[in-house]
Amino acid sequence: MQDSHPAHAGASSRVVIVRAPWRERASWALYDFANTIFSMNVATLYFSVWLIKDLGASSTLYALGNGVSSFLVVLSVPVLGALSDARRRRKLWVVGFTIASCIACAAIGILGQTILPIVGAQTIGGMTTTSAWHPTFDTFTWVIVAFIIANYAYQAAQPFYNAMMPDLAPPEEQGRLSGIGTAVGYVGTIVGLLLIFPFFGGELPLLGPLPAGFISTLRALVPYTNHAGRVSTFVPTALLFLLFSLPLFIFCRDHYPVVGKTAINWRQAFRNVLNTLHDARRYPGALPFILASFLYQDAIGTIVSFMAIYAIKAMKFPDGTETTLFLVLTIPAIFGSYLAGILTDRFGAKRTLVLTIVGWIILLVAMVLVPSQKAFWGVGLLIGLIFGGVPTAERPLLLSLVPTEEAGRFFSLMLLSSRAAAVAGPIIWGITVDTLEPSRGTGLAYRMAVLTVIAMFATSLVLMRRVPDSRLARASTHA
């Protein structure tokens, strides 16, 4: 098969020239729908606010849980990616990690209602913490462990999921497929918010309370939801994550697996992790791009992890209304993700990614400066519009820089770089807030934390200057 990527000259790269069946492509894209239900409801919306606001844990403790899960990704996923590429079997890893994430996510809700106080907005039959309540790290050990496993497994599935894309569409259509997946993911965010919110407060955002009989039946059907509040959102989130992952489990397949039993040289697998970094130098722009992803993914991960608590504590949004805020902000992300896919196919992945990073910097500066909730809504809507630009553009960009059959280990390395940085980003945020808040006030502490995120984006933009534009390279080759 002829290689369509100039940067791959001499590489034995397999390039798909015919689309996979629509059912398989749709099932692949629907997994973005499924995993964003988890990322929004757990990693972004409910867990951090439940831990910090309801239970009184420190921002640093939550950041530590995030950091440990990221560090586990750093240790394991590149090795698993090398093994996946050796046998070209990606689906099994996606299925296994997804099931593990769902089990651990459900465990957060179960542990939260059996070993911790039932507290927080909208809870039923709970309690009010007193001045005698002084939680320590030991208080939250098992809940943090469950969160670490859920978050780790969710992240660990991503490189294998991304590496399935080259088998589904030819290179010139991968930007659009990636954009559709990202857009479908944001639809999943909205659906997930709407389906989970009744377990939190017995109502729908913007629409109001649901009939009491319906809510009673709903809570009777789904275990560990009777107390309502944030602690009751984790079990139904796990169930929805699993439910909408089933089409990928059933209809997607590995198109070019190695036939028969392939012996794996474990020492070589570990050496391949280091070799991937070395090999990145053979493909122009691959190493600078991975270093850039180290920073911009860390920046996005940090701001997403703390956005809900920022809205409540820095912008003084009423407790419990952050769900409505995120629901409204997600709507433009659906259209923005699809638009980013079209821009990627038309103008190139690099240009689209750079434009998105510049947009992030401008809008985060505006977020620090806005004085009111109304202005924050405006900035948030624009952030939603560009939010899907990074995942939409970066997948085709990496595929344009490296051979297709090596995509798994390079996606793993890109995840490695971003997760290694993610160990530091949330911890820097947590330390900044916990250090400044007692003396300088909540508003200033949280705004200074946003400035650390802006610095990450700005540095990644500098590194992107060393990444070649594959569209320009192809144009010069055909000139």
Side-chain angles (χ1 to χ4, degrees), residues 323-399:
T323 300
T324 303
L325 172 67
F326 275 94
L327 176 63
V328 174
L329 299 190
T330 301
I331 294 173
I334 300 171
F335 303 100
S337 299
Y338 185 71
L339 176 62
I342 295 175
L343 293 175
T344 297
D345 287 340
R346 179 157 187 180
F347 299 108
K350 180 189 174 180
R351 291 181 181 180
T352 304
L353 183 56
V354 167
L355 182 63
T356 302
I357 294 172
V358 171
W360 267 107
I361 293 172
I362 294 172
L363 291 174
L364 287 180
V365 170
M367 191 172 86
V368 170
L369 297 177
V370 294
S372 66
Q373 291 180 8
K374 288 184 178 179
F376 183 83
W377 276 97
V379 172
L381 287 169
L382 293 175
I383 287 178
L385 188 64
I386 68 168
F387 194 85
V390 165
T392 297
E394 71 173 356
R395 290 183 285 206
L397 180 54
L398 181 61
L399 289 171

Side-chain angles (χ1 to χ4, degrees), residues 201-450:
E203 58 183 285
L204 285 174
L206 304 177
L207 298 179
L210 293 169
F214 174 78
I215 294 298
S216 296
T217 302
L218 196 63
R219 289 174 177 157
L221 291 173
V222 181
Y224 293 95
T225 59
N226 286 329
H227 287 295
R230 296 182 179 95
V231 72
S232 295
T233 63
F234 302 116
V235 170
T237 293
L239 293 175
L240 289 178
F241 186 9
L242 180 62
L243 175 66
F244 290 110
S245 297
L246 291 179
L248 181 142
F249 293 3
I250 297 169
F251 298 119
C252 289
R253 64 185 179 90
D254 294 310
H255 284 245
Y256 305 105
V258 175
V259 179
K261 293 184 178 180
T262 303
I264 299 296
N265 185 327
W266 291 94
R267 290 185 179 181
Q268 185 60 42
F270 279 93
R271 279 196 294 267
N272 283 344
V273 177
L274 297 177
N275 291 342
T276 302
L277 259 179
H278 181 269
D279 292 346
R281 300 176 184 177
R282 292 163 39 199
Y283 308 116
L287 188 58
F289 173 61
I290 290 168
L291 293 175
S293 74
F294 177 101
L295 293 166
Y296 68 66
Q297 286 287 9
D298 183 29
I300 293 173
T302 302
I303 201 68
V304 165
S305 295
F306 289 98
M307 179 66 81
I309 198 70
Y310 181 94
I312 292 174
K313 300 197 74 171
M315 297 306 302
K316 307 299 182 185
F317 277 84
D319 194 13
T321 62
E322 67 274 12
T323 300
T324 303
L325 172 67
F326 275 94
L327 176 63
V328 174
L329 299 190
T330 301
I331 294 173
I334 300 171
F335 303 100
S337 299
Y338 185 71
L339 176 62
I342 295 175
L343 293 175
T344 297
D345 287 340
R346 179 157 187 180
F347 299 108
K350 180 189 174 180
R351 291 181 181 180
T352 304
L353 183 56
V354 167
L355 182 63
T356 302
I357 294 172
V358 171
W360 267 107
I361 293 172
I362 294 172
L363 291 174
L364 287 180
V365 170
M367 191 172 86
V368 170
L369 297 177
V370 294
S372 66
Q373 291 180 8
K374 288 184 178 179
F376 183 83
W377 276 97
V379 172
L381 287 169
L382 293 175
I383 287 178
L385 188 64
I386 68 168
F387 194 85
V390 165
T392 297
E394 71 173 356
R395 290 183 285 206
L397 180 54
L398 181 61
L399 289 171
S400 75
L401 298 173
V402 302
T404 303
E405 71 271 7
E406 297 185 38
R409 67 184 182 120
F410 277 98
F411 273 120
S412 294
L413 183 61
M414 187 169 70
L415 182 66
L416 165 68
S417 69
S418 64
R419 292 304 91 195
V423 174
I427 291 177
I428 291 172
W429 176 292
I431 292 174
T432 300
V433 170
D434 290 343
T435 301
L436 294 178
E437 190 172 15
S439 59
R440 301 294 182 179
T442 299
L444 179 62
Y446 276 86
R447 284 172 172 83
M448 290 300 295
V450 174

Side-chain angles (χ1 to χ4, degrees), residues 28-46 98 101 154 158 161 180-193 196 237 240-242 244-245 304 326 330 333-334 337 387-388 391 395:
W28 179 87
L30 190 63
Y31 185 79
D32 261 328
F33 181 103
N35 65 32
T36 51
I37 293 176
F38 171 88
S39 64
M40 172 56 78
N41 286 324
V42 178
T44 300
L45 186 57
Y46 291 115
T98 300
S101 181
Y154 155 73
Q158 300 307 305
Y161 169 66
I180 290 172
T182 307
V184 168
Y186 289 118
V187 174
T189 297
I190 293 175
V191 172
L193 287 172
I196 295 300
T237 293
L240 289 178
F241 186 9
L242 180 62
F244 290 110
S245 297
V304 165
F326 275 94
T330 301
I334 300 171
S337 299
F387 194 85
R395 290 183 285 206

